[in-house]
Amino acid sequence: MLIVVGTIPDPTVPVLDALVEVAGNALTVGGRALPPDRGTPALLAAAAMTCDFLGENPPHALLVGDEGLGNGSRALYRHLAEVLPSRRCTVLAFHYLQPDVDGHNRVLMAAQAMAGPPALVADAGFMYAAKMSGYAGEYALFTPDAGELAFLADEAAPHPFYTRGFILQDEDRVPELIQRAYAHDNAARCLLVKGRVDRIADRTGILAEVSAPSVEAMEAMGGTGDTVTGMACALMASGLSAHKAAHVAAQANRYAGEAARPTPASQIGELVPHIPQALARAMGEIL
Amino acid sequence: MALTNLFKRKASGPSAQARADRGLLVFEHTSEVIRAEKILKASGREIRVMGPPPEIQRGCDLVVEFPLMEKLDILRTLDEAGIPPMESVPVTGPLLDPVDLFQVKDFGNHLMVRAANMKLTVEKKTRTIVNVSGGGCPDVPYIAARLIGRTLDEAPAPREIGHTLCGYALELAFEEMRRLCSS
């Protein structure tokens, strides 16, 4: 089973701790409708579609409203530290949360006290906190883009906003930056680096690359990284290794993007319905 | 077992990482530090006053340590109070500069500007913001929902409605886009 932790941009929403329900394009958590237009709802929609395609149980969501002041994130950090040790899942994924090193460390300890313990995945703000904490190696998968990889590779940077100028966000330097992130122990055991070429890597080097089909407009679309992470998490929860799950998810995201025929003005909700067919094609080719 | 390692590392005392999400506000005069401390504490923020590291001993002899992720919101609060700091820097890298490199991609009908981890895309003909992408702080979806569908002139600046470093990076992309679209 997959548990997804994240935020939604409405500060009035309290901590939600419930199964995800999907009917058509509508996503509901704890009776609250969440448009899968970007951020954690987009990740959840992709994960739920993948679970359904695989015949697995839907993901469980732990969400809170936070518009960036961090109040919701802090409440969710406290809730997680309290409830995680008594929960069970195979994959625990963290997404948009206010990066907070102390809060991260408490949550990590609670996660590692879970039965199993589950494989941990971090993306977005929680990946920033995981890197800053010095415990990146406790995670099974990070899913950075090129700018976030530069942040992981820069041992001094506290946030991608401060990544040093000498570490340029140049996709041609991705292999070098992956090596540098591992050299400073600032990477998860597996990395899915999203970009013009998606690269799946571990400490030994690059394991797989996905570069086609190339759907240029997806670079501008908000949420394409969220859908690929959502698919990867659900595939891991079904039993695939992190690197196989990341490989299939990266390929399926491109197929779904191709089928949606997007422009740079397209929204991520247009890609989500194409996920089942895209997964079938990618799994047939890779597994 | 990973948990054992975690306890061992935590038991070894505060590491550099323990303060990696903190920043320092540098002011010209000690009186401004005292006013800033009072204002920020009254608003419930976790801050403390301390001596500056050697690298930034160029203002007064006290600095305010603050949650770095909330930089945009804190700077706005201090601006409104009339005591903007001379400088704000990360604790673990006080000599680090914010990103100042932009990547621009022309899609034909659309233009995309990237600053650090944030991307902003505009339809060139109408100057309408059509997409916001990237980032990891929770104000990104909040800002995106308020920008998408509005023109560069109608949309609120990310600095006015954002709170975090991702919001700050998006503000840079927004300003660069306005500059490119006005030339």
Side-chain angles (χ1 to χ4, degrees):
Chain A
M1 184 186 183
L2 167 65
I3 294 179
V4 174
V5 180
T7 55
I8 46 182
D10 178 352
T12 65
V13 176
V15 171
L16 303 175
D17 190 340
L19 278 179
V20 176
E21 295 176 55
V22 178
N25 269 350
L27 184 75
T28 308
V29 176
R32 189 177 290 268
L34 302 176
D37 47 7
R38 61 185 65 83
T40 304
L43 185 153
L44 279 172
M49 293 286 266
T50 306
C51 288
D52 185 58
F53 171 77
L54 297 170
E56 302 279 343
N57 290 326
H60 189 98
L62 282 152
L63 303 177
V64 73
D66 193 329
E67 81 280 43
L69 287 172
N71 298 328
S73 294
R74 283 187 280 275
L76 188 53
Y77 280 128
R78 287 193 295 273
H79 182 74
L80 292 167
E82 187 182 321
V83 305
L84 282 183
S86 63
R87 299 289 176 89
R88 273 182 178 275
C89 66
T90 48
V91 175
L92 178 57
F94 299 96
H95 198 224
Y96 273 90
L97 286 162
Q98 188 89 328
D100 179 299
V101 170
D102 186 53
H104 165 272
N105 290 348
R106 291 172 195 277
V107 169
L108 178 60
M109 278 194 286
Q112 291 182 324
M114 293 170 74
L120 304 178
V121 178
D123 188 20
F126 206 79
M127 178 174 67
Y128 304 172
K131 182 258 188 176
M132 282 189 282
S133 75
Y135 295 117
E138 305 296 324
Y139 288 78
L141 178 66
F142 281 175
T143 49
D145 64 16
E148 291 169 331
L149 176 65
F151 156 68
L152 298 179
D154 186 342
E155 71 280 6
H159 187 277
F161 185 63
Y162 282 105
T163 297
R164 283 179 283 182
F166 72 85
I167 300 181
L168 298 171
Q169 298 155 23
D170 178 352
E171 286 210 25
D172 294 337
R173 299 185 64 187
V174 163
E176 173 193 340
L177 295 183
I178 289 171
Q179 278 188 342
R180 190 181 164 101
Y182 279 111
H184 290 282
D185 294 324
N186 285 324
R189 295 191 294 279
C190 181
L191 288 178
L192 166 53
V193 183
K194 302 168 290 194
R196 196 172 61 242
V197 177
D198 298 319
R199 293 179 172 93
I200 295 94
D202 69 9
R203 191 173 281 277
T204 66
I206 291 174
L207 305 171
E209 292 186 342
V210 182
S211 59
S214 179
V215 184
E216 201 175 24
M218 288 176 71
E219 188 180 353
M221 285 172 65
T224 55
D226 304 323
T227 51
V228 74
T229 302
M231 282 189 273
C233 291
L235 288 161
M236 284 173 68
S238 76
L240 287 189
S241 66
H243 99 257
K244 280 289 181 195
H247 191 177
V248 170
Q251 185 65 70
N253 210 46
R254 286 171 182 264
Y255 287 150
E258 183 184 50
R261 299 175 176 272
T263 74
S266 297
Q267 303 300 304
I268 195 65
E270 299 169 39
L271 184 147
V272 171
H274 298 283
I275 284 176
Q277 275 194 316
L279 276 169
R281 187 175 167 195
M283 290 174 73
E285 291 169 357
I286 295 169
L287 300 181
Chain B
M1 163 78 184
L3 183 60
T4 316
N5 293 337
L6 188 56
F7 280 129
K8 274 183 189 166
R9 291 176 71 171
K10 284 186 77 68
S12 65
S15 62
Q17 278 90 9
R19 295 170 64 222
D21 56 357
R22 303 283 139 176
L24 299 174
L25 298 169
V26 184
F27 294 87
E28 196 166 358
H29 303 293
T30 306
S31 61
E32 292 172 334
V33 173
I34 294 165
R35 281 183 62 204
E37 179 189 24
K38 189 175 173 185
I39 289 165
L40 295 175
K41 278 192 170 169
S43 64
R45 291 187 176 86
E46 290 178 15
I47 57 120
R48 65 173 179 149
V49 172
M50 55 187 285
E55 299 96 317
I56 57 167
Q57 283 176 347
R58 50 186 173 272
C60 67
D61 58 356
L62 290 173
V63 294
V64 176
E65 189 187 80
F66 70 104
L68 186 61
M69 301 306 139
E70 297 169 28
K71 174 174 170 171
L72 186 51
D73 194 56
I74 283 175
L75 291 186
R76 186 168 53 228
T77 300
L78 293 174
D79 262 341
E80 286 167 2
I83 44 169
M86 293 166 59
E87 202 170 357
S88 60
V89 296
V91 165
T92 51
L95 300 182
L96 288 177
D97 286 328
V99 66
D100 61 355
L101 296 171
F102 297 104
Q103 290 179 330
V104 179
K105 184 159 185 173
D106 192 334
F107 288 94
N109 293 330
H110 299 87
L111 193 67
M112 184 183 83
V113 172
R114 175 181 185 156
N117 53 336
M118 296 304 310
K119 292 182 278 193
L120 181 82
T121 303
V122 161
E123 184 185 45
K124 288 194 269 188
K125 189 175 171 185
T126 61
R127 293 162 48 95
T128 301
I129 299 166
V130 296
N131 254 309
V132 170
S133 178
C137 298
D139 58 346
V140 171
Y142 178 77
I143 301 171
R146 282 149 189 81
L147 262 55
I148 291 172
R150 294 190 175 184
T151 68
L152 288 170
D153 301 315
E154 295 166 348
R159 70 171 179 278
E160 291 168 5
I161 55 173
H163 303 284
T164 69
L165 283 174
C166 288
Y168 214 131
L170 188 57
E171 168 68 15
L172 296 184
F174 181 79
E175 286 301 319
E176 180 67 5
M177 182 67 83
R178 287 178 66 139
R179 190 185 70 76
L180 290 171
C181 288
S182 66
S183 58

